[in-house]
Amino acid sequence: MTGGGSGPLAERRLSLLDLLDRLLAGGVVLAGDLTLSIADVDLVRVDLRALISSVEGEEPP
């Protein structure tokens, strides 16, 4: 299926690197929960909360 629309976004293609750069410029939050259990008894619970973003450092003069 080809894009038959008109406008600036109709002919523009983003590479995976461009998409990743845009996501990291604004920041990405990852969240997840993992629970290991046996016979309905929770043995291990892991909660993950991570913020991933790009950081620009200042260059020395």
Side-chain angles (χ1 to χ4, degrees):
M1 179 176 187
T2 60
S6 62
L9 295 178
E11 297 180 12
R12 186 173 178 190
R13 292 186 180 193
L14 291 175
S15 68
L16 183 59
L17 185 58
D18 291 334
L19 180 62
L20 185 61
D21 185 47
R22 285 186 181 193
L23 286 174
L24 290 179
V28 178
V29 176
L30 300 175
D33 299 320
L34 175 67
T35 304
L36 298 176
S37 61
I38 296 177
D40 291 332
V41 176
D42 294 344
L43 300 175
V44 177
R45 180 175 176 182
V46 178
D47 294 330
L48 170 68
R49 307 281 185 258
L51 171 66
I52 301 173
S53 67
S54 62
V55 177
E56 294 185 26
E58 294 183 25
E59 295 183 17

Coordinates of all heavy atoms in Angstrom, one line a residue:
M1 N 0.8 -1.2 0.0 CA 0.0 0.0 0.0 C 0.9 1.2 0.0 O 1.8 1.4 0.8 CB -0.9 0.0 1.2 CG -1.8 1.2 1.3 SD -2.9 1.0 2.8 CE -3.9 2.4 2.5
T2 N 0.6 2.1 -0.9 CA 1.4 3.4 -1.0 C 0.6 4.5 -0.4 O -0.6 4.5 -0.5 CB 1.8 3.7 -2.4 OG1 0.6 3.8 -3.2 CG2 2.6 2.5 -3.0
G3 N 1.4 5.5 0.1 CA 0.7 6.7 0.7 C 0.3 7.6 -0.5 O 1.1 8.1 -1.2
G4 N -1.0 7.8 -0.6 CA -1.5 8.6 -1.7 C -1.9 10.0 -1.2 O -2.4 10.8 -1.9
G5 N -1.5 10.3 0.1 CA -1.8 11.6 0.6 C -0.9 12.7 0.1 O 0.1 12.4 -0.6
S6 N -1.2 13.9 0.3 CA -0.4 15.0 -0.1 C 0.1 15.8 1.2 O -0.5 15.6 2.3 CB -1.1 16.0 -1.0 OG -2.2 16.5 -0.3
G7 N 1.1 16.6 1.0 CA 1.6 17.3 2.2 C 3.0 16.9 2.5 O 3.6 16.1 1.8
P8 N 3.6 17.6 3.4 CA 5.1 17.4 3.7 C 5.4 16.0 4.3 O 6.4 15.5 4.1 CB 5.4 18.5 4.7 CG 4.1 18.9 5.3 CD 3.1 18.7 4.3
L9 N 4.4 15.4 5.0 CA 4.6 14.1 5.6 C 4.4 12.9 4.7 O 4.8 11.8 4.9 CB 3.8 13.9 6.9 CG 4.1 14.9 8.0 CD1 3.1 14.6 9.2 CD2 5.5 14.7 8.5
A10 N 3.7 13.2 3.6 CA 3.4 12.1 2.6 C 4.7 11.6 2.0 O 4.8 10.4 1.7 CB 2.4 12.6 1.6
E11 N 5.6 12.4 1.7 CA 6.8 12.0 0.9 C 8.0 11.8 1.9 O 9.1 11.5 1.4 CB 7.1 12.9 -0.2 CG 6.0 13.0 -1.2 CD 6.3 14.0 -2.4 OE1 7.5 14.4 -2.4 OE2 5.4 14.2 -3.1
R12 N 7.9 12.1 3.1 CA 9.0 12.0 4.1 C 9.1 10.6 4.7 O 8.1 10.1 5.1 CB 8.8 13.1 5.1 CG 10.0 13.2 6.1 CD 9.8 14.3 7.0 NE 11.0 14.3 7.9 CZ 11.0 15.1 8.9 NH1 10.1 15.9 9.3 NH2 12.1 15.0 9.7
R13 N 10.3 10.1 4.7 CA 10.6 8.8 5.3 C 11.6 9.0 6.5 O 12.5 9.7 6.3 CB 11.1 7.8 4.3 CG 10.2 7.5 3.2 CD 10.7 6.4 2.4 NE 9.8 6.0 1.3 CZ 9.9 5.0 0.6 NH1 10.9 4.2 0.7 NH2 9.0 4.7 -0.3
L14 N 11.3 8.3 7.6 CA 12.2 8.4 8.7 C 12.9 7.1 8.8 O 12.4 6.0 8.7 CB 11.4 8.6 10.0 CG 10.8 10.0 10.2 CD1 9.9 10.0 11.4 CD2 11.8 11.1 10.2
S15 N 14.2 7.2 9.1 CA 15.0 6.0 9.3 C 14.9 5.6 10.8 O 14.4 6.4 11.6 CB 16.5 6.2 9.0 OG 17.1 7.1 9.9
L16 N 15.3 4.4 11.1 CA 15.2 4.0 12.5 C 16.1 4.9 13.4 O 15.7 5.2 14.5 CB 15.7 2.5 12.6 CG 15.6 1.9 14.0 CD1 14.2 1.9 14.5 CD2 16.1 0.5 13.9
L17 N 17.2 5.3 12.9 CA 18.1 6.2 13.6 C 17.5 7.5 13.9 O 17.6 8.1 15.0 CB 19.4 6.4 12.9 CG 20.5 7.2 13.6 CD1 20.9 6.5 14.9 CD2 21.7 7.3 12.7
D18 N 16.7 8.1 12.9 CA 16.0 9.4 13.1 C 14.9 9.2 14.2 O 14.8 10.1 15.0 CB 15.4 9.9 11.8 CG 16.5 10.3 10.8 OD1 17.6 10.7 11.3 OD2 16.2 10.3 9.6
L19 N 14.2 8.1 14.1 CA 13.2 7.9 15.1 C 13.7 7.7 16.5 O 13.2 8.3 17.5 CB 12.4 6.6 14.7 CG 11.2 6.2 15.6 CD1 10.2 7.3 15.7 CD2 10.6 4.9 15.2
L20 N 14.8 7.0 16.6 CA 15.5 6.8 17.9 C 16.0 8.1 18.5 O 15.9 8.4 19.7 CB 16.6 5.8 17.8 CG 17.3 5.4 19.1 CD1 16.3 4.7 20.1 CD2 18.4 4.4 18.8
D21 N 16.5 8.9 17.6 CA 17.1 10.2 18.0 C 15.9 11.1 18.5 O 16.1 11.8 19.6 CB 17.8 10.9 16.8 CG 18.4 12.2 17.2 OD1 19.1 12.2 18.3 OD2 18.2 13.2 16.5
R22 N 14.8 11.1 17.9 CA 13.6 11.9 18.3 C 13.1 11.4 19.7 O 12.7 12.2 20.5 CB 12.5 11.9 17.3 CG 12.8 12.7 16.1 CD 11.6 12.7 15.2 NE 11.9 13.6 14.0 CZ 11.0 14.0 13.2 NH1 9.7 13.6 13.4 NH2 11.3 14.7 12.2
L23 N 13.0 10.1 19.8 CA 12.6 9.5 21.1 C 13.5 9.9 22.3 O 13.0 10.3 23.3 CB 12.4 8.0 21.0 CG 11.2 7.5 20.2 CD1 11.3 6.0 20.1 CD2 9.9 7.9 20.9
L24 N 14.8 9.8 22.0 CA 15.7 10.0 23.1 C 15.9 11.5 23.4 O 16.2 11.9 24.5 CB 17.1 9.4 22.8 CG 17.2 7.9 22.8 CD1 18.6 7.5 22.4 CD2 16.8 7.3 24.1
A25 N 15.6 12.4 22.4 CA 15.7 13.8 22.7 C 14.6 14.2 23.7 O 14.8 15.1 24.5 CB 15.5 14.6 21.4
G26 N 13.4 13.6 23.6 CA 12.3 13.9 24.5 C 12.3 13.0 25.8 O 11.8 13.4 26.8
G27 N 13.0 11.9 25.7 CA 13.0 11.0 26.8 C 12.1 9.8 26.7 O 11.0 10.0 26.1
V28 N 12.4 8.7 27.1 CA 11.6 7.5 27.1 C 11.5 6.9 28.5 O 12.6 6.7 29.1 CB 12.2 6.4 26.1 CG1 11.3 5.2 26.1 CG2 12.3 7.0 24.7
V29 N 10.4 6.5 28.9 CA 10.2 5.9 30.2 C 9.8 4.4 30.0 O 8.9 4.1 29.3 CB 9.1 6.5 31.1 CG1 8.9 5.8 32.4 CG2 9.5 8.0 31.3
L30 N 10.6 3.5 30.6 CA 10.3 2.1 30.6 C 9.8 1.6 32.0 O 10.4 2.0 33.0 CB 11.6 1.3 30.2 CG 12.2 1.6 28.9 CD1 13.5 0.8 28.8 CD2 11.3 1.3 27.8
A31 N 8.8 0.9 32.0 CA 8.3 0.4 33.3 C 7.9 -1.1 33.1 O 7.3 -1.5 32.0 CB 7.1 1.2 33.7
G32 N 8.1 -1.9 34.1 CA 7.8 -3.3 34.0 C 7.8 -4.0 35.4 O 8.4 -3.5 36.3
D33 N 7.1 -5.0 35.5 CA 7.0 -5.8 36.7 C 7.2 -7.3 36.3 O 6.7 -7.8 35.3 CB 5.6 -5.7 37.4 CG 5.3 -4.3 37.8 OD1 6.2 -3.6 38.3 OD2 4.1 -3.9 37.6
L34 N 8.0 -8.0 37.2 CA 8.3 -9.4 37.0 C 8.1 -10.1 38.3 O 8.7 -9.7 39.3 CB 9.7 -9.6 36.5 CG 10.2 -11.0 36.3 CD1 9.4 -11.7 35.2 CD2 11.7 -11.1 36.0
T35 N 7.3 -11.2 38.3 CA 7.0 -11.9 39.5 C 7.3 -13.4 39.3 O 6.7 -13.9 38.3 CB 5.6 -11.7 40.1 OG1 5.4 -10.3 40.2 CG2 5.4 -12.4 41.4
L36 N 8.1 -14.0 40.0 CA 8.4 -15.5 39.9 C 7.6 -16.1 41.1 O 7.8 -15.8 42.3 CB 9.9 -15.8 40.0 CG 10.7 -15.2 38.9 CD1 12.2 -15.5 39.2 CD2 10.3 -15.7 37.6
S37 N 6.8 -17.1 40.8 CA 6.0 -17.7 41.8 C 5.9 -19.2 41.5 O 6.0 -19.7 40.4 CB 4.6 -17.1 41.9 OG 3.9 -17.3 40.7
I38 N 5.7 -20.0 42.6 CA 5.5 -21.4 42.5 C 4.3 -21.7 43.4 O 4.2 -21.3 44.6 CB 6.7 -22.2 43.0 CG1 7.9 -22.0 42.1 CG2 6.4 -23.7 43.1 CD1 9.2 -22.7 42.6
A39 N 3.3 -22.4 42.8 CA 2.1 -22.8 43.5 C 1.4 -21.6 44.1 O 1.0 -21.6 45.3 CB 2.3 -23.9 44.5
D40 N 1.3 -20.5 43.4 CA 0.7 -19.3 43.8 C 1.3 -18.6 45.0 O 0.7 -17.9 45.8 CB -0.8 -19.5 44.1 CG -1.6 -19.8 42.8 OD1 -1.2 -19.3 41.8 OD2 -2.7 -20.4 42.9
V41 N 2.6 -18.9 45.2 CA 3.4 -18.3 46.3 C 4.5 -17.4 45.6 O 5.3 -18.0 44.9 CB 4.0 -19.3 47.2 CG1 4.9 -18.6 48.3 CG2 3.0 -20.1 47.9
D42 N 4.4 -16.1 45.8 CA 5.4 -15.2 45.1 C 6.7 -15.4 45.8 O 6.8 -15.2 47.0 CB 4.9 -13.8 45.3 CG 3.6 -13.5 44.4 OD1 3.3 -14.3 43.6 OD2 3.0 -12.4 44.7
L43 N 7.7 -15.7 45.0 CA 9.1 -15.9 45.5 C 9.9 -14.7 45.3 O 10.7 -14.3 46.2 CB 9.7 -17.1 44.9 CG 9.0 -18.5 45.2 CD1 9.7 -19.6 44.4 CD2 9.0 -18.8 46.6
V44 N 9.9 -14.1 44.1 CA 10.7 -13.0 43.7 C 9.8 -12.0 43.0 O 9.1 -12.4 42.1 CB 11.9 -13.4 42.9 CG1 12.7 -12.2 42.4 CG2 12.8 -14.4 43.6
R45 N 10.0 -10.7 43.3 CA 9.3 -9.7 42.6 C 10.3 -8.6 42.2 O 11.0 -8.1 43.1 CB 8.1 -9.1 43.4 CG 7.4 -8.0 42.7 CD 6.2 -7.5 43.5 NE 5.6 -6.4 42.7 CZ 4.6 -5.7 43.1 NH1 4.0 -6.0 44.3 NH2 4.2 -4.7 42.4
V46 N 10.3 -8.2 41.0 CA 11.2 -7.2 40.5 C 10.4 -6.1 39.8 O 9.6 -6.4 38.9 CB 12.2 -7.8 39.5 CG1 13.1 -6.7 38.9 CG2 13.0 -8.9 40.1
D47 N 10.5 -4.9 40.2 CA 9.9 -3.7 39.6 C 10.9 -2.9 38.9 O 12.0 -2.6 39.5 CB 9.2 -2.8 40.6 CG 8.0 -3.5 41.3 OD1 7.4 -4.4 40.7 OD2 7.7 -3.2 42.5
L48 N 10.7 -2.5 37.7 CA 11.6 -1.8 36.9 C 11.0 -0.5 36.5 O 9.9 -0.4 35.9 CB 12.0 -2.6 35.6 CG 12.8 -1.8 34.6 CD1 14.2 -1.5 35.1 CD2 12.9 -2.6 33.3
R49 N 11.7 0.6 36.8 CA 11.3 1.9 36.3 C 12.6 2.6 35.8 O 13.5 2.8 36.6 CB 10.7 2.8 37.4 CG 9.6 2.2 38.2 CD 8.3 2.3 37.4 NE 7.2 1.8 38.2 CZ 6.7 0.6 38.1 NH1 7.1 -0.2 37.1 NH2 5.7 0.2 38.8
A50 N 12.7 2.9 34.5 CA 13.9 3.5 34.0 C 13.5 4.7 33.0 O 12.6 4.6 32.3 CB 14.6 2.5 33.2
L51 N 14.3 5.7 33.1 CA 14.2 6.9 32.2 C 15.4 6.9 31.4 O 16.5 6.9 31.9 CB 14.1 8.2 33.0 CG 14.1 9.5 32.2 CD1 12.9 9.6 31.3 CD2 14.2 10.7 33.1
I52 N 15.2 6.9 30.1 CA 16.3 6.9 29.1 C 16.2 8.2 28.3 O 15.1 8.4 27.7 CB 16.3 5.7 28.2 CG1 16.3 4.4 29.0 CG2 17.4 5.7 27.2 CD1 16.2 3.1 28.3
S53 N 17.2 9.0 28.3 CA 17.2 10.2 27.5 C 18.6 10.5 27.1 O 19.6 10.1 27.7 CB 16.5 11.3 28.2 OG 17.3 11.7 29.3
S54 N 18.7 11.4 26.1 CA 20.1 11.8 25.7 C 20.5 13.0 26.6 O 19.7 13.8 27.1 CB 20.1 12.2 24.2 OG 19.2 13.3 24.0
V55 N 21.8 13.1 26.8 CA 22.3 14.1 27.6 C 23.5 14.8 26.8 O 24.3 14.2 26.3 CB 22.9 13.6 28.9 CG1 23.6 14.7 29.7 CG2 21.9 12.9 29.7
E56 N 23.4 16.1 26.7 CA 24.4 16.9 26.1 C 25.3 17.5 27.1 O 24.9 18.2 28.0 CB 23.8 18.0 25.2 CG 23.0 17.4 24.0 CD 22.5 18.5 23.1 OE1 23.1 19.6 23.1 OE2 21.5 18.3 22.5
G57 N 26.6 17.2 27.0 CA 27.5 17.8 27.9 C 28.1 19.0 27.4 O 28.2 19.3 26.2
E58 N 28.6 19.9 28.3 CA 29.3 21.1 27.9 C 30.7 20.8 27.5 O 31.4 20.1 28.2 CB 29.2 22.1 29.0 CG 27.8 22.6 29.3 CD 27.8 23.7 30.4 OE1 28.8 24.4 30.5 OE2 26.8 23.8 31.0
E59 N 31.1 21.4 26.4 CA 32.5 21.2 26.0 C 33.4 22.2 26.7 O 33.0 23.4 26.9 CB 32.7 21.3 24.5 CG 31.9 20.2 23.8 CD 32.1 20.4 22.3 OE1 33.1 21.1 21.9 OE2 31.4 19.7 21.6
P60 N 34.6 21.8 27.2 CA 35.4 22.8 27.8 C 35.9 23.9 26.8 O 36.1 23.6 25.7 CB 36.6 22.0 28.4 CG 36.5 20.7 27.6 CD 35.1 20.5 27.2
P61 N 36.2 25.1 27.3 CA 36.6 26.2 26.4 C 38.0 25.9 25.8 O 38.8 25.2 26.2 CB 36.6 27.4 27.3 CG 36.5 27.0 28.7 CD 36.0 25.6 28.7

